[in-house]
């Protein structure tokens, strides 16, 4: 544990170097993976793995490095399989690659853990709709709509999913 705490200041330095180029990025990713794997192996304190790995993963997302962020989020999902933010981000990264079947698995798990998160429900609806499961998509969009009724994108996707299920009468309530 103390080793992980000692590595955290290195992360701040490494994040500055992250923008410097591929060699620094590779070292940072290796450190993140090793730290997360170490915590998973010990199966003890998961917070440092989530903090350190999350720091790296979200920085990579912020720098538009989706291909590099995905394996870090996958490791984080192993370290803490009940973190809805990690599961939603991993699902969204899979969506961006067009892998909606696998995305739906992670997004459904995130939605079950935190049903009150409308953006997770919205992302789940998108993957379900893309895999031909319009009824499931409509249900997910409905849950998102209940939390954010003023969001036009949710209203639109809910309407499309209801139309695809044949629930035309429900369209007038959206």
């Amino acid at each position: 544990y103390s080793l992980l705490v000692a590595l955290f200041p290195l992360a701040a330095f490494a994040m500055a170097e992250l923008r410097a180029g591929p060699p620094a990025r590779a070292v940072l990713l290796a450190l993140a993976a090793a730290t997360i794997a170490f915590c998973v192996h010990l199966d003890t304190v998961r917070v440092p793995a989530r903090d350190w790995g999350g720091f790296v993963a979200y920085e990579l997302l912020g720098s538009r490095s989706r291909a590099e962020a995905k394996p870090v989020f996958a490791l984080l999902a192993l370290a803490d399989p009940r973190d809805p933010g990690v599961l939603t981000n991993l699902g969204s990264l899979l969506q961006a690659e067009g892998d909606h079947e696998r995305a739906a698995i992670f997004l459904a798990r995130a939605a079950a853990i935190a049903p009150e998160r409308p953006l997770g429900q919205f992302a789940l609806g998108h993957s379900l709709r893309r895999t031909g499961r319009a009824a499931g998509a409509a249900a997910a969009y409905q849950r998102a709509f209940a939390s954010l009724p003023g969001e036009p994108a949710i209203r639109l996707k809910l309407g499309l999913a209801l139309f695809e299920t044949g629930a035309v009468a429900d369209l007038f309530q959206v």
Side-chain angles (χ1 to χ4, degrees):
Y1 178 76
S2 59
L3 172 67
L4 299 176
V5 173
L7 285 177
F8 198 78
L10 177 63
F13 173 73
M15 289 318 296
E17 293 298 312
L18 180 68
R19 290 166 183 85
R25 193 180 303 255
V27 169
L28 176 63
L29 290 172
L31 276 173
T35 304
I36 296 167
F38 180 70
C39 285
V40 171
H41 174 70
L42 289 181
D43 195 30
T44 54
V45 182
R46 293 174 185 230
V47 173
R50 192 174 67 214
D51 288 351
W52 164 235
F55 178 72
V56 172
Y58 288 107
E59 280 292 319
L60 288 169
L61 272 183
S63 67
R64 304 275 188 228
S65 301
R66 289 183 170 161
E68 293 169 325
K70 190 177 87 171
V72 178
F73 276 112
L75 284 169
L76 286 170
L78 284 174
D80 188 358
R82 298 208 34 89
D83 185 329
V86 167
L87 296 171
T88 299
N89 279 297
L90 182 54
S92 296
L93 289 167
L94 289 165
Q95 273 183 344
E97 292 177 349
D99 191 351
H100 294 284
E101 282 292 336
R102 286 185 40 217
I105 293 168
F106 289 103
L107 293 167
R109 196 178 313 156
I113 293 166
E116 73 283 356
R117 297 177 87 169
L119 298 180
Q121 297 289 346
F122 182 76
L124 173 61
H126 181 68
S127 277
L128 291 173
R129 189 165 168 260
R130 296 290 293 224
T131 57
R133 296 177 273 183
Y141 289 138
Q142 189 67 49
R143 290 187 296 272
F145 182 73
S147 295
L148 289 173
E151 178 60 43
I154 295 173
R155 183 181 296 259
L156 172 66
K157 296 291 186 169
L158 173 59
L160 290 171
L162 289 171
F163 180 77
E164 290 169 358
T165 63
V168 179
D170 293 339
L171 285 172
F172 297 106
Q173 297 177 17
V174 174

